[in-house]
């Protein structure tokens, strides 16, 4: 009887979809482990980064930008607001909307989480040299842009 510990079936060993899935699982595990060191979640880093880069945003826009649905963005914003990392206030122009703004403490938190994200990425990409990393990033960006319908926008 053969050992099942010899690796994946031959049909999967060179399958881009399977390989990318495995790399994605590994990448998310590494990132989740690093974020847990700071009692955070990867979505905390995403939301704080979006606010640090874009400035105040409506909660709905923030959710779309971070690819979070309405209930998830509300939960993440609530967690971050509870920690003093952002404030959520009614939009003065349209009081039905909330505007979310990062606080100075949120900016510091974003930088700490950013450093942890870099560590996770370094662990993930350790087998690759600098040129291979740049090539991988460029290729994956093209795939993501095509699948997101945002060809040529630089979104990744």
């Amino acid at each position: 009887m053969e050992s099942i510990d010899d690796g994946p079936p031959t049909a999967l060993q060179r399958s881009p979809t399977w390989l990318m899935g495995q790399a994605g699982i590994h990448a998310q595990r590494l990132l989740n482990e690093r974020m847990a060191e700071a009692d955070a979640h990867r979505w905390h880093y995403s939301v704080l980064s979006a606010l640090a880069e874009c400035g105040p945003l409506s909660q709905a826009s923030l959710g779309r930008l971070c690819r979070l649905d309405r209930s998830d963005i509300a939960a993440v914003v609530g967690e971050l607001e509870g920690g003093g990392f952002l404030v959520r206030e009614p939009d003065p122009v349209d009081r039905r909307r909330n505007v979310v703004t990062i606080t100075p403490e949120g900016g510091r938190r974003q930088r700490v989480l950013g450093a942890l994200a870099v560590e996770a990425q370094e662990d993930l990409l350790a087998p690759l040299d600098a040129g291979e990393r740049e090539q991988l990033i460029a290729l994956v960006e093209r795939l993501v842009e095509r699948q997101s319908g945002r060809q040529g926008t630089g979104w990744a």
Side-chain angles (χ1 to χ4, degrees), residues 27-80:
Q28 291 308 313
R29 182 183 57 75
L30 288 170
L31 186 58
N32 290 338
E33 288 172 358
R34 294 294 183 171
M35 293 295 124
E37 292 174 14
D39 196 28
H41 189 275
R42 62 190 167 107
W43 295 119
H44 295 165
Y45 175 57
S46 297
V47 167
L48 291 173
S49 293
L51 292 171
E53 183 176 324
C54 300
L57 293 167
S58 73
Q59 188 170 306
S61 295
L62 183 59
R64 284 190 299 275
L65 186 62
C66 294
R67 309 300 192 261
L68 289 167
D69 66 35
R70 291 174 72 173
S71 62
D72 289 337
I73 191 63
V76 172
V77 166
E79 291 167 7
L80 291 169

Side-chain angles (χ1 to χ4, degrees), residues 109-121:
R109 179 73 165 171
Q110 187 272 338
R111 289 186 295 279
V112 167
L113 297 181
L116 293 171
V118 168
E119 289 176 14
Q121 291 166 20

Side-chain angles (χ1 to χ4, degrees), residues 79-94:
E79 291 167 7
L80 291 169
E81 184 177 38
F85 303 120
L86 55 79
V87 292
R88 174 175 35 183
E89 300 173 316
D91 185 337
V93 176
D94 182 352

Side-chain angles (χ1 to χ4, degrees), residues 20 134-156:
M20 290 180 71
E134 288 302 317
Q135 183 180 19
L136 175 66
I137 291 166
L139 293 171
V140 174
E141 279 179 335
R142 282 179 40 204
L143 293 173
V144 170
E145 287 172 356
R146 174 138 194 257
Q147 295 308 311
S148 70
R150 296 172 176 253
Q151 290 177 307
T153 64
W155 178 86

